[in-house]
Amino acid sequence: AQTVTQSQPEMSVQEAETVTLSCTYDTSESDYYLFWYKQPPSRQMILVIRQEAYKQQNATENRFSVNFQKAAKSFSLKISDSQLGDAAMYFCAYRRNYGGSQGNLIFGKGTKLSVKP
Amino acid sequence: ETGVTQTPRHLVMGMTNKKSLKCEQHLGHNAMYWYKQSAKKPLELMFVYNFKEQTENNSVPSRFSPECPNSSHLFLHLHTLQPEDSALYLCASSQDTDRGFEAFFGQGTRLTVV
């Protein structure tokens, strides 16, 4: 069974600085997707960034980028120029690319990010 | 407007009550999901519906009963719940269950069972 592990329950970063959140996963599949979701106090989960496993290039969305190491099954999120609005729970998630109806998201336990002014 | 709307936002119910959670999506998606989010635990997938058909029941107790009358609406009927069922219940939708389509989430219903 696939699993997703986030080893950092909490992280803190100074405003305008850079922070990296860690995520590792376990799967025997070769074709899958990885996601980072953000859950602010409003509780709504918002997609931050997505990575397709068959793409070697790391995904980037403005201040958010990932370091995808397929062999190591590692998928870390880097937030540059941190802003107060980045404070939230961040969840790493995995979804296999399957021809049937089993492409369900599997989440890690989350990392709570605090941003200090 | 988030695209996925859940009501109510908060619910307190006794163990003998019957209540329902509602989810509605305005995104034209075909797949809808119920997740349970408890403190310090990963999100737990409960049910998956694709084109109105239930495709997954993740060993959820029968006191939780889903209903999907059409691709835009999803309900979770609750009866004789236990205090450990208190959690945030999140609804999500996606274009399909295949090919890594991203899931869009509602803001959740905070359920407290007393």
Side-chain angles (χ1 to χ4, degrees):
Chain A
Q2 294 86 4
T3 59
V4 177
T5 302
Q6 294 179 249
S7 59
Q8 306 153 315
E10 297 188 27
M11 291 283 285
S12 179
V13 64
Q14 204 71 34
E15 194 176 8
E17 297 293 309
T18 296
V19 65
T20 299
L21 308 183
S22 301
C23 173
T24 58
Y25 58 95
D26 187 23
T27 183
S28 58
E29 306 280 345
S30 60
D31 191 7
Y32 51 85
Y33 293 80
L34 296 163
F35 306 83
W36 278 99
Y37 278 88
K38 169 185 177 182
Q39 187 179 37
S42 67
R43 306 186 319 210
Q44 186 182 13
M45 301 274 279
I46 303 166
L47 179 68
V48 175
I49 200 165
R50 174 173 65 182
Q51 175 78 42
E52 299 167 70
Y54 58 86
K55 288 189 176 179
Q56 292 186 337
Q57 186 173 6
N58 289 323
T60 300
E61 287 287 342
N62 300 314
R63 297 182 295 107
F64 298 88
S65 62
V66 298
N67 183 4
F68 173 48
Q69 302 290 328
K70 191 172 184 178
K73 297 180 183 175
S74 171
F75 182 61
S76 60
L77 174 70
K78 186 172 81 171
I79 306 174
S80 305
D81 186 25
S82 297
Q83 300 176 359
L84 295 177
D86 294 333
M89 284 290 291
Y90 285 82
F91 292 93
C92 179
Y94 162 98
R95 182 179 216 174
R96 64 182 174 181
N97 187 19
Y98 194 71
S101 60
Q102 299 301 311
N104 301 318
L105 280 170
I106 300 170
F107 288 86
K109 290 186 178 182
T111 297
K112 183 178 182 180
L113 178 67
S114 302
V115 181
K116 297 177 180 178
Chain B
E1 176 57 50
T2 64
V4 180
T5 305
Q6 288 186 244
T7 54
R9 292 291 306 278
H10 301 272
L11 178 62
V12 179
M13 60 185 289
M15 288 189 285
T16 59
N17 290 158
K18 290 184 179 181
K19 296 286 184 183
S20 296
L21 309 185
K22 180 183 176 181
C23 177
E24 185 175 359
Q25 57 98 359
H26 310 279
L27 302 168
H29 289 166
N30 297 308
M32 296 188 77
Y33 311 80
W34 279 117
Y35 283 89
K36 177 183 179 182
Q37 186 177 20
S38 305
K40 300 183 180 179
K41 292 176 67 176
L43 270 76
E44 301 171 61
L45 179 66
M46 300 176 72
F47 301 104
V48 181
Y49 277 81
N50 199 26
F51 292 93
K52 301 187 297 179
E53 298 296 322
Q54 184 175 312
T55 58
E56 186 152 340
N57 176 341
N58 204 21
S59 302
V60 180
S62 59
R63 57 186 183 271
F64 294 91
S65 176
E67 178 190 2
C68 188
N70 54 61
S71 294
S72 299
H73 294 86
L74 184 65
F75 295 90
L76 187 62
H77 303 300
L78 316 171
H79 63 97
T80 59
L81 295 191
Q82 304 298 312
E84 59 265 28
D85 296 323
S86 299
L88 180 67
Y89 288 84
L90 291 167
C91 174
S93 71
S94 65
Q95 183 64 43
D96 202 333
T97 56
D98 289 350
R99 295 187 296 280
F101 288 115
E102 70 175 276
F104 292 78
F105 286 82
Q107 290 182 291
T109 295
R110 173 72 65 188
L111 174 67
T112 303
V113 182
V114 297

